[in-house]
């Protein structure tokens, strides 16, 4: 796993007019680091526990780049003294690209993986595009420092990470803030774990909302080991005991911000527990996937449910023993479906199902159902009405 630290550096204003105020920052383990730039304290603190593979620092041409020197041990600061004063001087009017690159190169001798990124703070797309290009493809532990810089910059960086999580393997995210305004003898360092929890809940619920895959969101709600339950449901099984356990655990969730999520999941899982017959569960899952825009799944499930129901109408007791249900039903449909609209609905449904599954579009009327979402929606809703009528 790669450990990536993201910091923002601004201008600051101390008594002398420029730069941040020298502050003692106290971490949760009692360690204290005195520095003007909080990122330096955070880097030194994190480095006592883990190797920081990359440290990206975003700032503007007038940011207090010189303050990064506090990251280096006092014994080595003299080695950078001449360049340090040159950086200090250039910051006043705007640091040049060459000096910033030279400063980065010198700092990297003592801080491996450091990169100083001069940005236009109003170029909002830069943050996300930079991270997409530069974050490694390994599993990533991201540490976000939101202490300095323009106030809107940490928000853009945070939302950028939420988007990037879809394409990079961000396994964990921690957010730190050096709370200068809460300063007593020292300024407390706040690790904002709750944001990380919301980040996990948000991304895993998005996955569930659009795909139906629930193990990840359930894990983030404290309900473990549900992968096999999901697999059984996908395979049209009925893991009744497991579903009862999940719903019982969802009912025990008390925090409001988690409960609203739990209630939505429970409402969608409950019909799978309550429906006794396979065809009824198939219909519930067809509706479930239709609402999640997974139209092929919904089409296959509603067709199979109707087919099972028709076989039962014929008095077939051992449906699994029939090798080809479509051939078995051929010629018997008028006997089961007395009304013409039902025959037409089933015929259209079957042909659309075959065309969608096999990619074989037979005629123009079927093409409309596959090309036009509204036409397919009409067919799907008509099929649900047909199913309920058939069940009676």
């Amino acid at each position: 796993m790669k450990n990536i630290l993201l910091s923002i550096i601004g201008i600051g204003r101390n008594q002398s007019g420029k730069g941040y105020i020298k502050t003692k920052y106290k971490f949760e383990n009692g360690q204290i680091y005195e520095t003007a730039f909080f990122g330096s304290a955070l880097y030194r603190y994190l480095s006592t526990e883990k190797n920081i593979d990359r440290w990206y620092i975003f700032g503007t041409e007038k940011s207090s780049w010189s303050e990064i020197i506090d990251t280096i041990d006092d014994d080595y600061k003299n080695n950078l003294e001449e360049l340090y004063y040159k950086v200090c001087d250039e910051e006043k009017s705007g640091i040049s690209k060459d000096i910033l690159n030279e400063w980065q190169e010198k700092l990297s001798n003592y801080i491996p993986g450091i990169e100083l990124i001069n940005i236009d703070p109003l170029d909002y797309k830069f943050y996300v595009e930079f991270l997409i290009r530069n974050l490694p493809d390994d599993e990533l532990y991201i540490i976000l420092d939101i202490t300095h810089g323009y106030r809107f910059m940490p928000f853009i960086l945070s939302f950028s990470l939420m988007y990037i999580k879809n394409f990079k393997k961000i396994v964990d995210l921690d957010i730190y803030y050096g709370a200068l305004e809460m300063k007593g003898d020292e300024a407390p360092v706040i690790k904002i774990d709750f944001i990380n929890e919301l980040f996990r809940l948000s991304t895993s619920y998005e996955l569930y909302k659009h795909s139906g895959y629930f193990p990840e969101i359930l894990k983030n709600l404290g309900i473990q080991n549900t992968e096999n339950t999901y697999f059984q449901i996908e395979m049209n099984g009925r893991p009744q005991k497991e579903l009862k356990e999940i719903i019982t655990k969802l009912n025990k969730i008390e925090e409001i911000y988690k409960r609203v999520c739990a209630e939505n999941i429970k409402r969608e899982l409950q019909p799978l527990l309550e429906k006794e017959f396979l065809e009824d569960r198939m219909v519930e899952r067809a509706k479930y996937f239709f609402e999640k825009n997974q139209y092929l799944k919904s089409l296959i499930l509603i067709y199979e449910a109707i087919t099972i129901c028709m076989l039962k109408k014929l008095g077939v007791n051992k449906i699994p023993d029939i090798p080809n249900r479509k051939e078995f039903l051929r010629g018997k449909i008028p006997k089961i479906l007395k009304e013409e609209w039902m025959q037409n609905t089933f015929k259209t449904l079957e042909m659309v199902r075959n065309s969608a599954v096999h990619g074989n579009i037979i005629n123009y009327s079927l093409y409309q159902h596959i090309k036009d979402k509204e036409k397919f929606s009409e067919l799907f809703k008509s099929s649900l009405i047909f199913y309920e009528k058939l069940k009676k």
Side-chain angles (χ1 to χ4, degrees), residues 55-261:
W55 184 16
Y56 297 121
I57 306 176
F58 300 91
T60 69
E61 60 180 13
K62 293 186 178 181
S63 291
S64 300
W65 299 104
S66 57
E67 305 284 18
I68 302 170
I69 199 169
D70 281 343
T71 315
I72 299 171
D73 289 343
D74 292 338
D75 294 342
Y76 302 109
K77 286 181 179 178
N78 289 339
N79 300 341
L80 301 176
E81 188 173 6
E82 183 179 347
L83 181 57
Y84 167 77
Y85 285 114
K86 192 181 291 187
V87 172
C88 287
D89 187 57
E90 283 213 0
E91 286 170 357
K92 296 172 186 176
S93 57
I95 196 166
S96 68
K97 181 179 179 181
D98 290 341
I99 292 297
L100 188 63
N101 287 341
E102 187 179 355
W103 186 229
Q104 175 183 301
E105 185 179 347
K106 292 292 185 182
L107 289 171
S108 66
N109 293 325
Y110 308 95
I111 312 169
I114 190 171
E115 187 167 340
L116 310 181
I117 305 119
N118 187 358
I119 64 170
D120 172 0
L122 298 180
D123 183 1
Y124 306 131
K125 292 186 292 185
F126 178 87
Y127 308 89
V128 66
E129 291 180 348
F130 175 88
L131 294 174
I132 287 172
R133 287 195 307 269
N134 290 277
L135 286 179
D137 292 328
D138 310 77
E139 290 189 341
L140 303 175
Y141 167 44
I142 303 289
I143 307 104
L144 176 58
D145 162 21
I146 62 170
T147 305
H148 300 303
Y150 291 112
R151 291 184 180 181
F152 61 85
M153 292 171 74
F155 290 102
I156 297 173
L157 207 46
S158 299
F159 281 104
S160 295
L161 288 170
M162 290 183 70
Y163 174 69
I164 288 169
K165 193 177 188 297
N166 294 298
F167 314 105
K168 298 289 184 176
K169 301 171 186 175
I170 300 178
V171 176
D172 213 350
L173 170 69
D174 280 332
I175 299 177
Y176 283 87
Y177 177 68
L180 179 62
E181 65 272 28
M182 298 172 68
K183 181 180 177 182
D185 293 331
E186 300 95 16
V189 175
I190 301 173
K191 184 180 179 184
I192 312 174
D193 293 329
F194 186 62
I195 289 180
N196 189 26
E197 184 179 359
L198 290 180
F199 179 77
R200 288 173 178 272
L201 286 169
S202 175
T203 53
S204 59
Y205 187 75
E206 280 291 315
L207 172 64
Y208 166 73
K209 185 172 72 173
H210 294 295
S211 73
Y213 183 76
F214 57 68
E216 192 68 22
I217 181 60
L218 290 182
K219 182 173 71 175
N220 289 323
L221 290 171
I223 303 171
Q224 307 293 330
N225 303 319
T226 61
E227 290 84 358
N228 199 54
T229 304
Y230 177 79
F231 174 77
Q232 290 181 61
I233 293 171
E234 277 289 282
M235 301 301 286
N236 287 320
R238 192 190 183 200
Q240 192 172 22
K241 178 185 174 184
E242 292 87 345
L243 280 172
K244 283 181 179 177
E245 288 175 355
I246 289 172
I247 289 172
T248 298
K249 290 175 181 176
L250 288 171
N251 284 329
K252 291 180 180 179
I253 293 174
E254 295 181 354
E255 300 98 326
I256 292 174
Y257 72 98
K258 288 183 179 179
R259 195 168 69 224
V260 65
C261 178

Side-chain angles (χ1 to χ4, degrees), residues 364-388:
Y364 180 77
S365 63
L366 294 181
Y367 181 65
Q368 292 302 302
H369 289 96
I370 292 173
K371 177 185 176 184
D372 190 335
K373 177 186 168 184
E374 292 305 316
K375 283 286 186 183
F376 174 78
S377 297
E378 289 174 11
L379 175 62
F380 182 78
K381 291 169 185 176
S382 296
S383 299
L384 291 176
I385 295 169
F386 168 35
Y387 178 77
E388 294 301 325

